[in-house]
Amino acid sequence: MPQVYLLNVVSDNMYENILLFLLLVVIVLALFVAVVLYRAFRTVLKLTNPEIIAQEEKANKQAKATGMTPWKSLWNKFIGLRPIEQEKDLLMDDHEYDGIQELDNPIPLWFNLLFYGTIVFSVIYLLAYHVFGWGMLQHQEYESEMAKAEKQREEYLAQSANNIDENTVVLDLEPQTLEAGKVIFAQNCAACHGELGEGGIGPNLTDDYWIHGGDVKDIFSVIKYGVLDKGMIAWEQSLTPSQIAEVSNFIVSIHGTNPPNAKDAEGEKYTPSVSDSPDETIEKSSI
């Protein structure tokens, strides 16, 4: 299910990007059509009302003579600047304080554009996110980011688990670890060591005697590299480091279980340290 959900998230993001691209294309085309229509309108106006165009051209020439180009005039209008000659027309007679008179300046064009732009944006946002569902809402974005973070966490944990070796493996008697190790033991180890670790072709894994050491690091090393002269194959090509760690911890956990038909002891007696003792570890974890 998580994989399917992630695929859906990727598909939604791709769909959203395509829609945004199409919206941008529509905006560009609309601007292009507006320019074409404006030029067409100017052409028709020039043919039907040439006096208007003549007056406009005359005004442009006067503006150039005074240094007020059309672009500068448009900019002043955009930011709300009025010529100093028009100041007397903007005075408010009843607004004079200590010789300071107030001007009745209109709201600048840029402010009106900003204000009405927010209204247009809100309508587009409402339609895009709440009506047509083209984009993800905040809680959907949160769920998407959490899914990505969970995937990255799983990848990191998997990578960290597979970096374990015989020098870094530690005793882990958590139930989920032992259950996973039990499954691996039944599938790969029971044929030689017995279903309960009582021994068979291989030695007994439940008593106090070990040929190559009974520490979890020793067991990990034996499983990983094998002991060819004893018939123990190397499992490093068949099991991942995390799987070897799980089955090693399971073998440590069955110490002292005294299964029936146990094979005679082999090797030297191994006494685990306090920190390596399964009983001590279980006791600590329960505390």
Side-chain angles (χ1 to χ4, degrees):
M1 288 298 293
Q3 294 179 350
V4 175
Y5 177 76
L6 287 173
L7 289 175
N8 290 336
V9 170
V10 173
S11 300
D12 291 341
N13 290 338
M14 185 180 299
Y15 181 66
E16 180 181 356
N17 292 334
I18 292 174
L19 289 176
L20 291 176
F21 175 75
L22 292 177
L23 180 61
L24 180 61
V25 171
V26 170
I27 293 174
V28 173
L29 290 176
L31 293 175
F32 176 77
V33 171
V35 172
V36 172
L37 291 176
Y38 174 76
R39 289 183 175 274
F41 172 77
R42 295 281 297 178
T43 302
V44 172
L45 186 63
K46 188 174 183 179
L47 294 175
T48 57
N49 297 287
E51 63 277 3
I52 296 178
I53 300 298
Q55 291 177 1
E56 183 179 329
E57 292 177 350
K58 182 179 179 181
N60 290 337
K61 290 180 180 179
Q62 292 177 351
K64 290 182 178 179
T66 58
M68 183 62 66
T69 62
W71 287 109
K72 188 175 181 179
S73 177
L74 181 63
W75 173 253
N76 289 342
K77 184 177 180 181
F78 178 77
I79 63 176
L81 292 180
R82 301 287 292 271
I84 193 66
E85 295 81 8
Q86 298 180 9
E87 184 175 300
K88 61 181 182 300
D89 300 329
L90 300 175
L91 289 174
M92 302 177 67
D93 298 332
D94 55 342
H95 285 248
E96 181 177 351
Y97 305 95
D98 296 332
I100 301 175
Q101 292 180 299
E102 184 177 353
L103 299 180
D104 186 18
N105 277 312
I107 298 176
L109 178 62
W110 67 269
F111 190 89
N112 284 327
L113 290 176
L114 181 63
F115 175 71
Y116 292 113
T118 58
I119 297 177
V120 173
F121 174 81
S122 64
V123 173
I124 296 175
Y125 184 91
L126 176 66
L127 294 175
Y129 286 90
H130 294 278
V131 178
F132 301 110
W134 291 343
M136 292 190 296
L137 299 177
Q138 289 184 346
H139 72 278
Q140 294 171 330
E141 290 182 357
Y142 171 77
E143 292 173 356
S144 174
E145 292 300 322
M146 289 299 294
K148 293 178 183 178
E150 179 64 20
K151 181 181 179 182
Q152 293 175 353
R153 187 185 74 86
E154 292 176 356
E155 292 175 351
Y156 171 77
L157 291 177
Q159 184 179 4
S160 299
N162 287 325
N163 287 333
I164 300 173
D165 60 19
E166 60 275 13
N167 297 313
T168 59
V169 65
V170 294
L171 191 63
D172 179 10
L173 299 181
E174 293 294 329
Q176 60 269 23
T177 301
L178 299 183
E179 187 62 30
K182 181 179 180 180
V183 173
I184 298 171
F185 183 90
Q187 294 174 345
N188 301 283
C189 310
C192 293
H193 294 279
E195 294 182 358
L196 302 177
E198 70 275 12
I201 299 175
N204 181 0
L205 301 177
T206 65
D207 58 18
D208 296 332
Y209 292 85
W210 294 83
I211 301 175
H212 302 285
D215 179 75
V216 66
K217 291 181 171 59
D218 299 327
I219 298 173
F220 187 101
S221 179
V222 171
I223 296 174
K224 179 178 180 180
Y225 299 111
V227 184
L228 296 181
D229 57 339
K230 297 290 186 179
M232 172 69 179
I233 65 172
W235 289 93
E236 61 178 335
Q237 300 299 326
S238 302
L239 300 176
T240 65
S242 60
Q243 290 175 321
I244 297 176
E246 290 167 347
V247 72
S248 299
N249 279 287
F250 172 75
I251 292 173
V252 173
S253 72
I254 62 176
H255 170 261
T257 53
N258 299 317
N261 302 318
K263 189 177 181 180
D264 294 337
E266 298 178 75
E268 299 180 358
K269 186 174 182 179
Y270 171 77
T271 303
S273 62
V274 175
S275 60
D276 292 335
S277 172
D279 296 334
E280 182 72 10
T281 304
I282 294 173
E283 183 178 354
K284 289 180 180 178
S285 61
S286 63
I287 294 174

